[in-house]
């Protein structure tokens, strides 16, 4: 019935170790420093729970920039699609006359 605690996950960063504390059932305690191989992106993925969670969170709230962009009204003529310059194909009709 040993227990393991991992400390330092909230401040996980490349090059910084995390601490593991082992509490044994006989009452003794061991502390071990653990090295990891996560890069900066992987630490963000870890904090978000997965890479997909991070992508979804980024889409929900866009990054704030220093300057706000002004909303420019779009002319209604720009929104409409222009008619195609190709002539429409003629409909084929069946000849319903009886053949002789």
């Amino acid at each position: 019935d040993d227990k393991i605690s991992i400390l330092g996950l909230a401040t996980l960063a490349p090059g910084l170790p995390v601490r593991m504390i082992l509490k044994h059932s006989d009452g003794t305690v061991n502390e071990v420093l653990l090295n990891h191989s996560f890069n900066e992106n992987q630490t963000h993925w870890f904090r978000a729970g997965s890479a997909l969670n991070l992508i979804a969170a980024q889409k929900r709230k866009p990054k704030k920039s220093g300057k706000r962009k002004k909303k420019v009204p779009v002319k209604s003529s720009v929104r409409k699609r222009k008619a195609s310059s190709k002539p429409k194909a003629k409909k084929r009709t069946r000849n319903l006359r009886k053949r002789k």
Side-chain angles (χ1 to χ4, degrees):
D1 290 326
D2 296 350
K3 295 190 180 194
I4 300 172
S5 299
I6 306 289
L7 306 176
L9 294 178
T11 58
L12 187 67
L16 294 178
V18 293
R19 287 182 11 202
M20 177 178 68
I21 298 176
L22 296 167
K23 294 181 183 176
H24 301 282
S25 56
D26 63 358
T28 59
V29 177
N30 293 30
E31 185 176 327
V32 181
L33 288 178
L34 305 173
N35 292 325
H36 63 85
S37 61
F38 281 11
N39 62 32
E40 189 67 30
N41 286 334
Q42 290 169 327
T43 59
H44 294 302
W45 298 344
F46 177 78
R47 286 189 195 104
S50 73
L52 293 176
N53 288 347
L54 181 63
I55 292 167
Q58 288 172 344
K59 285 185 177 183
R60 279 193 300 268
K61 58 177 186 178
K63 292 181 180 179
K64 294 180 180 178
S65 61
K67 294 182 180 179
R68 284 187 159 190
K69 293 183 181 180
K70 291 183 180 180
K71 291 185 179 180
V72 179
V74 179
K75 293 181 181 178
S76 60
S77 61
V78 175
R79 289 184 186 163
K80 294 178 182 176
R81 289 187 166 205
K82 293 181 180 178
S84 176
S85 60
K86 294 180 184 178
K88 291 185 179 179
K90 293 182 180 180
K91 290 184 179 179
R92 292 186 179 186
T93 56
R94 290 178 73 182
N95 189 353
L96 300 175
R97 279 191 276 166
K98 293 183 181 177
R99 291 188 178 181
K100 293 183 181 178

